[in-house]
């Protein structure tokens, strides 16, 4: 390349030079080594911004479960706290108290029986860490009981459906816990309770039902599981408990189905985890876990800080972590209140149900579930339509991506892995008007795909039973 300083049109950059008229914008972005010298904040900002400009805009990302919209005041509040490290409780004691207030609010949303001023719970960087903490507490309680009884404690297991989120596989690997999985099927699209109970034994630390399954959007029947476990425990003398992975449902059910028994009103539900950065309506990353009572949180997992006479219990796998999300969660609780959350979740459900009815009425598609229980809509191709179509849902995903939408296509878990589905997450920030825009783009894409003369690569792979996984999507949506 010609040396810019030998170029007759070159001019040294100064305060009057436009960002895109600067020499720096002719240079490649650093890949392997830090640049030799500094650049201006305007140019550095633009270079970083340009690296991501071609990505899907967050509100058009219907694959992710995480919050992509917060109002101006929430965003401002979180930006003002971006430099605060939550773990520095001595310097920021009010943040610790605010965190505990959030735990109290969620514990009561989930009908805690605990009467202590500060409920037993923990902040997490996301629902994955919260699941880890819930599972670890169950493991420690089980080990303590086995040791006290003089019995072996080297073969713990958990029972969960094959629709688990990958964190449970990590938990099992990190802490040497056997995963006993219950396959999904057309007959049992959620956790098969009888099969789950048949996998339980004296080494089972907990059963993990899921509310808001990432693959399907459906809920496991926790009330039925609790009743079955109560009978099992009474007959065997075991104490198999329930940890609920309510990453999505924990912020849906309290507002839309407050009378439904799935939470601490049930006997064997001892801990619940959720994601504040999903339907808790806070930007990532934020998770929460709450125990039914402090006695279910092993002492060696917690430490206590005394602030102005108030004992605040801290638990976590991570150390330094952002405080901004705590402010965002507390702001949302104050700003929206119960009715505000109810209205937001109701609207999200209505938009999801609208898409369920509209896409379900289109010839190529069939909804996965007859009814929606969360603002998560999943559909597949109609079997008869698929027989003659020259395309698959992976091709529809690519077509929609050209319009800026991220609508994932993916294969289902083991036992029904040949089924390919698509999914949209309807969250705050996704309106009925945007849903109509999506439907119009789906119709346009289908018309183009139906006009193809030859089958697509994904269609040929399907005919050959060759696994084809979307390169741009992880089913967890995390």
């Amino acid at each position: 390349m010609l040396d810019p300083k030998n170029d007759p049109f070159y001019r040294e950059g100064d305060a009057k030079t436009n960002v895109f008229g600067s020499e720096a914008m002719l240079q490649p972005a650093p890949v392997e080594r830090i640049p030799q010298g500094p650049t201006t904040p305007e140019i550095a900002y633009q270079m970083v911004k340009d690296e991501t400009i071609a990505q899907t805009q967050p509100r058009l990302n219907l694959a992710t479960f995480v919050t992509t919209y917060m109002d101006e005041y929430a965003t401002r509040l979180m930006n003002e706290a971006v430099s605060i490290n939550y773990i520095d409780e001595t310097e920021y004691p009010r943040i610790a108290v605010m965190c505990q207030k959030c735990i109290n609010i969620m514990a009561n949303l989930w009908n805690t029986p605990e009467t202590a001023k500060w409920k037993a719970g923990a902040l997490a960087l996301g629902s994955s860490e919260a699941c880890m903490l819930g599972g670890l507490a169950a493991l420690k309680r089980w080990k303590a009981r086995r040791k006290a009884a003089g019995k072996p404690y080297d073969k713990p297991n958990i029972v969960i459906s094959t629709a688990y989120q990958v964190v449970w596989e990590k938990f099992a690997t990190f802490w040497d816990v056997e995963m006993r999985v219950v396959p999904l099927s057309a007959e049992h699209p959620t956790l098969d309770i009888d099969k789950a109970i048949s996998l339980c034994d004296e080494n089972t630390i907990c059963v993990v039902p899921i509310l808001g399954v990432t693959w399907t959007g459906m809920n496991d029947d926790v009330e039925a599981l609790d009743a079955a476990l109560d009978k099992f425990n009474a007959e065997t003398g075991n104490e198999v408990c329930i940890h609920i992975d309510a990453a999505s449902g924990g912020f849906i059910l309290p507002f839309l189905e407050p009378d439904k028994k799935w939470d601490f009103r049930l006997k064997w539900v001892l801990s619940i985890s959720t994601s504040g950065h999903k339907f808790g309506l806070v930007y990532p990353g934020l998770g929460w876990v709450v125990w039914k009572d402090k006695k279910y949180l092993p002492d060696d997992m917690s430490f206590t800080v005394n602030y102005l006479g108030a004992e605040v219990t801290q638990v976590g796998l991570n150390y330094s972590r952002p405080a901004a999300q705590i402010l965002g969660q507390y702001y949302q609780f104050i700003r929206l209140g119960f009715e505000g959350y109810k209205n937001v979740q109701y609207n999200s459900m209505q938009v999801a149900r609208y898409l369920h009815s509209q896409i379900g009425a289109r010839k190529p598609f069939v909804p996965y579930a007859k009814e929606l229980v969360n603002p998560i809509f999943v559909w597949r191709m109609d079997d008869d339509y698929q027989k003659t179509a020259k395309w698959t849902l992976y091709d529809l995903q690519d077509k929609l991506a050209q319009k800026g939408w991220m609508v994932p296509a993916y294969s289902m878990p083991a036992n029904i892995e040949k089924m390919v589905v698509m999914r949209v997450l309807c969250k705050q920030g996704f309106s009925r008007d945007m849903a109509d825009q999506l439907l119009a783009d789906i119709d346009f894409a289908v018309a183009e795909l139906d006009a193809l003369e030859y089958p697509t690569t994904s269609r040929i792979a399907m005919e050959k039973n060759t696994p084809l996984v979307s390169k741009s999507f992880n089913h967890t949506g995390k």
Side-chain angles (χ1 to χ4, degrees):
M1 179 183 288
L2 179 68
D3 185 346
K5 295 185 178 180
N6 295 327
D7 189 330
F9 296 102
Y10 174 77
R11 180 171 69 86
E12 287 284 353
D14 56 29
K16 297 180 181 179
T17 301
N18 182 279
V19 168
F20 289 100
S22 66
E23 181 183 357
M25 299 308 285
L26 291 176
Q27 307 304 316
V31 176
E32 296 180 354
R33 291 179 173 83
I34 187 172
Q36 187 63 36
T39 187
T40 66
E42 295 84 0
I43 291 174
Y45 170 86
Q46 194 62 53
M47 292 183 74
V48 175
K49 187 75 173 177
D50 289 350
E51 286 272 349
T52 61
I53 197 169
Q55 292 184 152
T56 297
Q57 295 304 303
R59 287 178 62 194
L60 298 184
N61 183 359
L62 305 183
T64 181
F65 278 76
V66 304
T67 295
T68 54
Y69 169 83
M70 293 182 77
D71 68 36
E72 174 188 353
Y73 290 97
T75 302
R76 183 195 308 176
L77 191 65
M78 293 179 68
N79 285 341
E80 291 169 352
V82 71
S83 62
I84 297 176
N85 183 5
Y86 164 73
I87 208 66
D88 294 336
E89 293 179 342
T90 302
E91 293 84 355
Y92 311 112
R94 293 304 309 173
I95 301 294
V97 174
M98 187 180 294
C99 176
Q100 188 59 53
K101 290 179 180 179
C102 290
I103 291 171
N104 283 358
I105 288 170
M106 282 177 292
N108 285 306
L109 274 175
W110 298 335
N111 295 287
T112 178
E114 190 172 14
T115 58
K117 179 178 180 180
W118 299 116
K119 314 307 180 190
L123 166 72
L125 287 176
S127 59
S128 292
E129 183 189 1
C131 288
M132 286 274 191
L133 292 170
L136 186 56
L139 175 61
K140 284 180 169 292
R141 292 194 307 268
W142 173 82
K143 281 188 174 181
R145 290 196 304 272
R146 299 288 289 179
K147 289 179 181 180
K151 296 180 178 179
Y153 51 90
D154 59 336
K155 295 181 179 179
N157 68 72
I158 60 170
V159 176
I160 193 169
S161 81
T162 51
Y164 62 82
Q165 202 269 338
V166 70
V167 64
W168 290 107
E169 194 168 346
K170 292 181 180 180
F171 169 78
T173 300
F174 293 166
W175 278 283
D176 294 322
V177 176
E178 178 192 357
M179 284 188 70
R180 296 183 175 180
V181 294
V182 181
L184 298 184
S185 65
E187 182 182 358
H188 294 284
T190 58
L191 180 68
D192 182 337
I193 305 298
D194 292 338
K195 180 63 175 177
I197 296 298
S198 72
L199 295 178
C200 292
D201 58 26
E202 63 180 4
N203 293 317
T204 303
I205 65 172
C206 64
V207 181
V208 184
I210 304 168
L211 296 179
V213 174
T214 57
W215 303 80
T216 68
M218 302 177 77
N219 292 334
D220 291 336
D221 190 341
V222 185
E223 188 171 15
L225 174 62
D226 183 78
L229 271 180
D230 194 42
K231 180 180 178 182
F232 172 82
N233 287 336
E235 292 174 348
T236 62
N238 293 323
E239 297 181 35
V240 179
C241 68
I242 296 172
H243 171 84
I244 301 178
D245 182 348
S248 295
F251 271 106
I252 298 293
L253 288 167
F255 301 105
L256 298 187
E257 295 188 63
D259 295 328
K260 185 177 181 65
K261 291 183 179 181
W262 64 275
D263 50 22
F264 292 129
R265 287 170 288 187
L266 300 177
K267 179 178 179 179
W268 293 101
V269 174
L270 302 189
S271 55
I272 303 172
S273 56
T274 195
S275 180
H277 65 223
K278 295 188 178 73
F279 293 99
L281 309 182
V282 179
Y283 289 139
L286 181 65
W288 303 99
V289 57
V290 178
W291 285 271
K292 193 170 195 171
D293 189 278
K294 189 176 182 179
K295 66 184 179 182
Y296 298 117
L297 175 58
D299 291 338
D300 59 358
M301 284 181 62
S302 62
F303 60 92
T304 300
V305 175
N306 187 285
Y307 172 65
L308 296 181
E311 289 191 343
V312 180
T313 299
Q314 298 294 324
V315 182
L317 296 176
N318 292 282
Y319 193 67
S320 292
R321 61 184 69 208
Q325 283 74 12
I326 299 170
L327 274 67
Q329 186 74 85
Y330 196 51
Y331 169 86
Q332 293 290 52
F333 285 153
I334 296 173
R335 169 69 183 90
L336 296 174
F338 187 92
E339 288 301 319
Y341 264 95
K342 180 179 178 180
N343 291 339
V344 170
Q345 314 302 32
Y346 173 83
N347 281 5
S348 296
M349 279 293 297
Q350 291 304 103
V351 173
R353 285 170 175 156
Y354 173 67
L355 287 175
H356 181 276
S357 65
Q358 292 295 311
I359 292 179
R362 282 161 166 75
K363 189 176 180 181
F365 309 123
V366 176
Y368 181 81
K370 293 181 179 179
E371 296 181 359
L372 299 187
V373 293
N374 290 295
I376 306 166
F377 172 47
V378 178
W379 72 94
R380 60 180 178 83
M381 286 192 74
D382 177 78
D383 291 337
D384 291 334
Y385 196 93
Q386 182 72 88
K387 290 176 182 177
T388 58
K390 296 181 176 65
W391 54 280
T392 71
L393 293 179
Y394 293 112
D395 301 304
L396 179 56
Q397 173 185 295
D398 290 342
K399 286 287 186 182
L400 293 176
Q402 294 171 19
K403 298 288 188 178
W405 300 102
M406 183 57 219
V407 182
Y410 55 94
S411 58
M412 293 293 277
N415 199 50
I416 51 173
E417 67 273 7
K418 291 184 178 180
M419 182 188 299
V420 176
V421 299
M422 294 193 86
R423 185 191 71 198
V424 294
L425 268 292
C426 298
K427 309 179 295 290
Q428 179 176 232
F430 183 64
S431 65
R432 161 66 186 270
D433 182 63
M434 292 175 71
D436 282 328
Q437 294 176 48
L438 173 63
L439 289 169
D441 287 338
I442 288 176
D443 290 340
F444 184 82
V446 169
E448 284 195 331
L449 291 168
D450 279 344
L452 291 174
E453 184 176 356
Y454 301 104
T456 64
T457 301
S458 69
R459 184 69 173 98
I460 294 172
M462 187 186 75
E463 287 293 328
K464 295 180 179 180
N465 290 318
T466 303
L468 183 62
V469 179
S470 170
K471 295 180 181 180
S472 60
F473 177 67
N474 179 309
H475 81 87
T476 64
K478 303 295 185 188

